[in-house]
Amino acid sequence: GENVEQHPSTLSVQEGDSAVIKCTYSDSASNYFPWYKQELGKGPQLIIDIRSNVGEKKDQRIAVTLNKTAKHFSLHITETQPEDSAVYFCAASMGYSTLTFGKGTMLLVSP
Amino acid sequence: GAGVSQTPSNKVTEKGKYVELRCDPISGHTALYWYRQSLGQGPEFLIYFQGTGAADDSGLPNDRFFAVRPEGSVSTLKIQRTERGDSAVYLCASSLTGGGGETQYFGPGTRLLVL
């Protein structure tokens, strides 16, 4: 089955800096890659996603890039704010619905 | 509109007991998923319903776990003879049709603690 590796496990940045989280996946058949943000005591919330026919997608301060050849994708957050502090999960899916998640990255943005 | 809701939000039980966890998906969503999230880990897939039927139950860890969705809306995850290792957050998600690449909307989860 699919295996998703996520790095780093923790990331501390100063407010205003950029943050980058990287994921790799194992199955070349995967074609859908969402990113979720999870705050303490809450369920994961989708923040951005990308499909295999697209190399990059941007939504305000958040962007995701996908390299299908290398089987890796990354989340980029610019101009970080304290409210960006949370756990971020990447996931991969092989054309039907089941998601395989990475282990998460705890992002801490210090004022 | 209302999101995915799960009840109870917290459940404490004793080893060997039976528990039921409930999920109310977003109205009109035909696809429903259960995941389990252990401390410090990402969600792990348990079972996926398309309407009333379980389309994929390959993630259920053993036969103590069972889930139903009799009318194609509310789902119940049932755990028999609970073990301490079952302690985790059980997350439910729904999506509109279950098609590939479709956004899954998660509920807040049920935190299960088995003593």
Side-chain angles (χ1 to χ4, degrees), chain A residues 1-2 6 35 39 45 55 58 75 92 104 109:
Chain A
E2 175 66 278
Q6 183 172 348
W35 286 89
E39 297 175 330
Q45 181 179 21
K58 191 172 182 179
L75 177 71
V109 182

Side-chain angles (χ1 to χ4, degrees), chain A residues 31-32 36 38 40-46 49 51 89 93 95-104, chain B residues 33 35 37 40-45 48 56 91 95 98-108 111:
Chain A
N31 58 11
Y32 174 62
Y36 284 84
Q38 187 173 29
L40 195 63
K42 297 184 179 181
Q45 181 179 21
L46 180 75
D49 58 14
R51 289 165 176 78
F89 292 97
S93 174
Y96 80 101
S97 305
T98 303
L99 295 174
T100 301
F101 285 84
K103 290 188 175 182
Chain B
Y33 319 82
Y35 292 84
Q37 186 174 26
Q41 302 293 315
E44 292 180 309
F45 168 75
Y48 155 52
D56 183 353
L91 294 164
S95 69
E102 197 171 69
T103 300
Q104 294 185 24
Y105 298 88
F106 282 81
R111 285 149 192 79

Side-chain angles (χ1 to χ4, degrees), chain B residues 89-104:
Chain B
V89 176
Y90 289 81
L91 294 164
C92 177
S94 71
S95 69
L96 187 59
T97 67
E102 197 171 69
T103 300
Q104 294 185 24

Side-chain angles (χ1 to χ4, degrees), chain B residues 6-114:
Chain B
Q6 293 186 244
T7 54
S9 54
N10 294 281
K11 177 70 177 178
V12 181
T13 191
E14 294 179 341
K15 180 176 178 295
K17 299 289 188 181
Y18 168 82
V19 295
E20 289 189 351
L21 312 178
R22 175 187 168 107
C23 172
D24 278 274
I26 293 172
S27 178
H29 281 196
T30 62
L32 184 146
Y33 319 82
W34 284 99
Y35 292 84
R36 179 168 71 174
Q37 186 174 26
S38 300
L39 195 62
Q41 302 293 315
E44 292 180 309
F45 168 75
L46 295 176
I47 187 169
Y48 155 52
F49 284 91
Q50 181 56 257
T52 60
D56 183 353
D57 65 357
S58 62
L60 294 177
N62 52 60
D63 61 6
R64 295 187 298 105
F65 289 74
F66 189 71
V68 295
R69 195 185 184 200
E71 297 179 358
S73 54
V74 171
S75 177
T76 304
L77 178 66
K78 308 180 181 193
I79 310 174
Q80 298 178 318
R81 305 183 304 279
T82 52
E83 300 178 356
R84 293 192 180 88
D86 298 334
S87 297
V89 176
Y90 289 81
L91 294 164
C92 177
S94 71
S95 69
L96 187 59
T97 67
E102 197 171 69
T103 300
Q104 294 185 24
Y105 298 88
F106 282 81
T110 292
R111 285 149 192 79
L112 176 66
L113 177 61
V114 181

